[in-house]
């Protein structure tokens, strides 16, 4: 009987082939995710445009009760809102792709200037809120998994439900009542005190991110003042996401603790808390990374109510102001930019998730 033996592949060549295949899978995955950004932004911008037009033209919505019919018709004609809707849409797309979002009807400011002026404040608030979500959600999720099906676990699950079920404006009002009115520990509103605001305005190259600008002044009092004003808004918005992180970490840590390699470590006498901290936590963090993009979208949505509650002068605060003035051109521009931010954030999260967990590439 003759045995046919397949030609052996040198181990080095096989390993290199596997690496090339994995690398190709990663780049192919990232290319697909990058290309998906454009149709996503296109669909979102299109939806925003036509939803804004359901109420009529922006001039009538914003100034209809303050102008005579002749003046109103003249303004509508000057702005081009009497043209066919498809012509307006194509012109708007051309402006958006060149970075021109139009001018606000209320104050005449270019929307790009509004975005640049107030966007840094919203970015700063979202950053603080994510820190709160990580600090609260991840450790408490570990504790809940450690005390699985006991009173500690049940209490933390109720806490998580309260975090993401409580309206952010209500949480903000409660925090202001307790820590600002009753205890008088923290400022009630604003991004900084008047004295600190004056110092920040005197900087040659301000960034708009108050913490960085306060550090540039070299004043520790200004830094602490900025941080003190950020505590309550960050808590109100961050607890919303912390509840989601808590339940995700708990569920994934419990699932990881039932794996064979964890049972093997347990049989060698490794303590339960050490198992949770060293063996189960890292795999449990990967799902959190994958949902950060969705949570960024939730935080940007919650920023509208949070900034209004705490008079935090960001995009959410301005969006509420323009909505009250029925300035749909400004609203359209701000919402379109937020859609772009969410799409780009999801792409960055996809990159991190693909690097940390090769399974998502295929």
């Amino acid at each position: 009987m003759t045995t046919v033996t397949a030609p052996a592949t040198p181990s080095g060549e096989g390993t290199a082939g596997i690496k090339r295949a994995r690398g190709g899978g990663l780049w192919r995955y990232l290319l697909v995710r990058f290309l998906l950004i454009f149709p996503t932004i296109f669909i979102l911008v299109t939806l925003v445009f036509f939803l804004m037009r359901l109420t009529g033209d922006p001039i009538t919505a914003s100034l209809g009760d303050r102008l005579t019919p002749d003046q109103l018709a003249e303004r509508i004609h000057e702005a081009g809102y009497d043209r066919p809707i498809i012509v307006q849409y194509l012109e708007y797309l051309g402006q958006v792709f060149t970075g021109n979002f139009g001018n606000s009807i209320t104050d005449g400011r270019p929307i790009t200037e509004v975005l640049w002026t107030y966007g840094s404040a919203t970015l700063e608030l979202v950053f603080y809120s994510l820190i709160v979500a990580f600090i609260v959600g991840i450790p408490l999720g570990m504790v809940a998994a450690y005390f699985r099906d006991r009173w500690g676990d049940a209490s933390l699950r109720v806490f998580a439900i309260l975090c993401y079920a409580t309206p952010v404006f209500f949480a903000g009002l409660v925090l202001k009542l307790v820590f600002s009115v009753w205890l008088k520990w923290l400022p009630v509103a604003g991004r900084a005190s008047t004295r600190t605001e004056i110092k920040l305005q005197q900087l040659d190259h301000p960034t708009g991110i108050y913490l960085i600008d306060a550090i540039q002044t070299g004043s520790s009092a200004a830094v602490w003042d900025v941080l003190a004003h950020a505590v309550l808004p960050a808590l109100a918005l961050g607890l919303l996401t912390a509840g989601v992180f808590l339940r995700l970490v708990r569920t994934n840590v419990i699932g990881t603790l039932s794996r064979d390699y964890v049972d093997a470590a347990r049989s060698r006498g490794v303590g339960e808390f050490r198992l949770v901290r060293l063996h189960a936590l890292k795999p449990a963090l990967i799902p959190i990374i994958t949902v950060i993009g969705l949570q960024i979208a939730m935080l940007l949505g919650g920023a509208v109510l949070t900034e209004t509650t705490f008079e935090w002068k960001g995009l959410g605060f301005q969006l509420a102001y323009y909505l009250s003035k029925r300035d749909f051109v400004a609203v359209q521009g701000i919402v379109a930019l937020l859609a772009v931010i969410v799409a780009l954030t999801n792409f960055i999260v996809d990159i991190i998730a693909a690097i940390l967990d090769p399974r998502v590439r295929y």
Side-chain angles (χ1 to χ4, degrees):
M1 182 177 180
T2 304
T3 304
V4 180
T5 304
T9 302
S11 59
E13 185 179 338
T15 303
I18 292 173
K19 289 182 178 179
R20 281 196 300 270
R22 289 177 178 173
L26 173 61
W27 289 110
R28 185 169 57 252
Y29 171 80
L30 294 182
L31 177 62
V32 171
R33 303 304 297 180
F34 176 75
L35 293 176
L36 285 175
I37 292 177
F38 299 101
T40 301
I41 294 176
F42 171 76
I43 293 171
L44 290 174
V45 168
T46 300
L47 284 175
V48 170
F49 177 86
F50 285 105
L51 286 175
M52 290 293 101
R53 291 299 189 276
L54 289 178
T55 58
D57 66 90
I59 300 293
T60 303
S62 180
L63 304 175
D65 56 347
R66 287 182 282 171
L67 299 177
T68 65
D70 292 339
Q71 291 174 328
L72 188 62
E74 182 181 353
R75 290 288 297 271
I76 291 174
H77 180 71
E78 289 177 354
Y81 292 126
D82 55 350
R83 295 174 299 169
I85 189 69
I86 189 64
V87 175
Q88 298 180 45
Y89 169 66
L90 293 175
E91 182 183 11
Y92 176 70
L93 281 183
Q95 292 175 345
V96 168
F97 287 122
T98 58
N100 179 15
F101 292 91
N103 295 329
S104 165
I105 297 175
T106 304
D107 48 27
R109 298 174 64 184
I111 303 302
T112 50
E113 179 186 327
V114 174
L115 301 176
W116 181 259
T117 303
Y118 297 100
S120 56
T122 299
L123 177 65
E124 187 174 14
L125 177 58
V126 169
F127 176 74
Y128 292 147
S129 302
L130 278 177
I131 291 177
V132 170
F134 285 131
I135 291 176
V136 175
I138 294 176
L140 291 185
M142 291 173 56
V143 173
Y146 181 76
F147 292 105
R148 178 185 180 184
D149 296 332
R150 285 181 275 179
W151 66 268
D153 178 28
S155 301
L156 289 174
R157 278 186 286 172
V158 171
F159 172 74
I161 293 172
L162 290 175
C163 283
Y164 61 73
T166 303
V168 66
F169 70 89
F170 179 76
L173 291 175
V174 171
L175 290 172
K176 288 171 67 172
L177 181 64
V178 174
F179 293 101
S180 298
V181 178
W182 292 349
L183 299 177
K184 301 185 184 303
W185 288 354
L186 295 168
V188 69
R191 296 182 64 194
S193 64
T194 304
R195 179 180 300 178
T196 302
E197 292 268 8
I198 294 173
K199 287 183 180 179
L200 300 183
Q201 291 172 2
Q202 294 172 348
L203 291 173
D204 294 330
H205 304 288
T207 63
I209 299 176
Y210 273 19
L211 181 58
I212 296 177
D213 292 342
I215 293 173
Q216 288 187 55
T217 64
S219 170
S220 59
V223 173
W224 285 114
D225 181 59
V226 168
L227 291 175
H229 281 80
V231 170
L232 293 184
L235 276 176
L237 190 56
L239 288 177
L240 179 70
T241 302
V244 177
F245 286 174
L246 192 159
R247 291 184 67 87
L248 272 176
V249 170
R250 175 191 176 274
T251 301
N252 286 281
V253 167
I254 290 174
T256 306
L257 287 175
S258 62
R259 300 287 180 85
D260 292 339
Y261 72 90
V262 176
D263 290 336
R266 189 181 285 116
S267 66
R268 293 195 302 269
V270 178
E272 197 69 20
F273 183 74
R274 185 179 177 85
L275 285 174
V276 171
R277 183 169 57 89
L278 297 181
H279 296 275
L281 179 60
K282 288 183 179 178
L285 292 180
I286 293 177
I288 287 183
I289 295 173
T290 60
V291 302
I292 282 180
L294 297 175
Q295 297 308 311
I296 291 291
M298 181 184 294
L299 289 174
L300 289 174
V304 176
L305 296 175
T306 306
E307 291 178 1
T308 304
T309 303
F310 290 96
E311 297 180 25
W312 186 279
K313 301 295 181 65
L315 282 180
F317 185 87
Q318 285 301 114
L319 184 61
Y321 169 75
Y322 286 132
L323 279 171
S324 68
K325 298 295 183 180
R326 294 182 292 179
D327 189 343
F328 293 147
V329 173
V331 172
Q332 184 174 276
I334 293 175
V335 173
L337 177 77
L338 294 179
V340 172
I341 292 174
V342 171
L344 292 176
T345 303
N346 276 287
F347 175 65
I348 296 172
V349 169
D350 287 337
I351 294 176
I352 298 173
I355 293 173
L356 295 179
D357 188 0
R359 293 174 297 177
V360 306
R361 308 174 193 171
Y362 303 101

